[in-house]
Amino acid sequence: MKRWIVAFCLISIIVFLLIACETQRLTSDAQYTPHTRAFTLITIPLLVKESATTFDFLHKDFAKGGVLGGKEVYTFSPDHITVYQGDKVDLTIVNPEDDNHTFTLRDFGVDLALAPQATTKVSFVASKVGSFTFYCNMASHMPFMSGQLIVLRDSSAASS
């Protein structure tokens, strides 16, 4: 009886090790196939000079020398995008308001004018791993109107 238990335990350990090695081999051989990732971004006013007509307390903030003097607070929504290295990124950027904006992502050679009340499209390949800032290059909208493109290493996709 003891020999049978010992033999069963040894066979179980060997089978477990074979399965673990095969799983590791399959996982390490897996290659990530890049995808096309499509996102829609919208420009959104958060705190603009026109707000002072509704909220009297903002007159002081938007006045010359005020904390927002010469600035307006806009954002991109969403303001974070995550993709994998090698993915093609298709962006549709909607500017529903009457102000001009830009979409600048220098690390990938993207610098677009966003006309008022218009939709602009751009595509690029996320060839570099890291965190990259995109922003509106209009002086009065900086530094507030910005976001992050996060590009994960393609091996992360294969192992998940």
Side-chain angles (χ1 to χ4, degrees):
M1 182 74 159
K2 284 185 178 181
R3 285 186 180 173
W4 182 84
I5 293 173
V6 170
F8 176 79
C9 290
L10 284 173
I11 290 171
S12 297
I13 291 171
I14 291 169
V15 168
F16 173 79
L17 289 173
L18 288 172
I19 291 171
C21 289
E22 182 63 15
T23 301
Q24 177 62 32
R25 186 188 69 76
L26 289 173
T27 301
S28 64
D29 289 347
Q31 294 293 318
Y32 175 68
T33 302
H35 299 294
T36 297
R37 310 281 180 177
F39 300 93
T40 299
L41 278 69
I42 301 173
T43 63
I44 298 176
L46 297 178
L47 210 54
V48 295
K49 60 185 174 267
E50 291 84 2
S51 303
T53 60
T54 305
F55 303 107
D56 288 338
F57 63 89
L58 290 175
H59 284 290
K60 179 179 163 189
D61 295 328
F62 281 106
K64 186 175 181 177
V67 70
L68 291 172
K71 298 282 185 183
E72 293 188 296
V73 182
Y74 289 90
T75 192
F76 290 104
S77 182
D79 64 356
H80 284 76
I81 298 171
T82 303
V83 299
Y84 288 101
Q85 181 183 19
D87 284 349
K88 178 183 175 203
V89 180
D90 288 343
L91 294 180
T92 300
I93 307 167
V94 180
N95 182 7
E97 51 195 302
D98 58 2
D99 286 6
N100 287 301
H101 294 290
T102 71
F103 179 85
T104 303
L105 180 58
R106 291 206 192 278
D107 295 286
F108 293 95
V110 178
D111 194 10
L112 302 171
L114 304 177
Q117 299 176 341
T119 298
T120 306
K121 295 184 179 217
V122 67
S123 296
F124 61 92
V125 174
S127 56
K128 305 175 215 175
V129 173
S131 177
F132 306 96
T133 300
F134 57 84
Y135 55 94
C136 175
N137 204 18
M138 306 288 289
S140 61
H141 301 165
M142 294 175 72
F144 308 111
M145 192 173 184
S146 64
Q148 295 292 310
L149 169 68
I150 309 298
V151 182
L152 302 174
R153 193 171 314 285
D154 62 3
S155 61
S156 302
S159 63
S160 57

